[in-house]
């Protein structure tokens, strides 16, 4: 698992990558009440906005950790957006993508690097 500075995580298995937000990000947002992703089928660049996440007091953009085609949205989040809070790295994943620039993965932050930057904030 690797992290972007915009608080998304990504794992790659085969030719598909799974993307979600970090534990730190969900803690900062608070109770998630809605996740909106209208980019399924779109090919987006690294750092492009692929959707939004709404908490009780704020709405935040979601940014692509690596470039790719958005091939799936975790539809369970429509009925249970709280999965992002409870299980950000498993059941709370947000999208699946087919990477178009897989080498970008190697430039992302390791868990240790991410935690050094944000866990102490």
């Amino acid at each position: 698992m690797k992290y972007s500075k915009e608080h998304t995580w990504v794992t790659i298995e085969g030719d598909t990558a799974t993307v979600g937000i970090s534990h730190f990000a969900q803690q900062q947002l608070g109770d998630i009440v809605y996740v909106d992703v209208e980019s399924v089928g779109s090919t987006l660049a690294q750092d492009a906005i692929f959707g939004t996440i709404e908490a009780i007091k704020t709405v935040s953009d979601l940014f692509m950790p690596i470039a790719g085609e958005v091939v799936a949205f975790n539809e369970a989040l429509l009925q249970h957006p709280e999965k992002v809070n409870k299980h950000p790295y498993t059941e709370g994943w947000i999208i699946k993508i087919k990477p178009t620039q897989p080498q970008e993965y190697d430039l992302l932050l390791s868990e240790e690097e991410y935690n050094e930057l944000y866990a102490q904030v």
Side-chain angles (χ1 to χ4, degrees), residues 25-94:
Q26 69 80 22
Q27 282 184 313
Q28 296 298 305
L29 288 168
D31 292 337
I32 306 298
V33 295
Y34 188 68
V35 180
D36 183 34
V37 173
E38 295 183 5
S39 56
V40 174
S42 299
T43 299
L44 303 171
Q46 183 179 40
D47 297 329
I49 296 170
F50 70 83
T52 58
I53 192 161
E54 184 176 341
I56 290 175
K57 295 182 181 181
T58 189
V59 176
S60 295
D61 290 329
L62 295 166
F63 297 92
M64 293 286 283
I66 60 174
E69 177 188 0
V70 181
V71 295
F73 167 62
N74 183 353
E75 303 231 349
L77 299 180
L78 294 174
Q79 296 296 317
H80 301 284
E82 71 278 1
K83 287 180 184 260
V84 175
N85 291 115
K86 293 180 183 174
H87 309 286
Y89 299 112
T90 56
E91 296 174 37
W93 64 272
I94 299 173

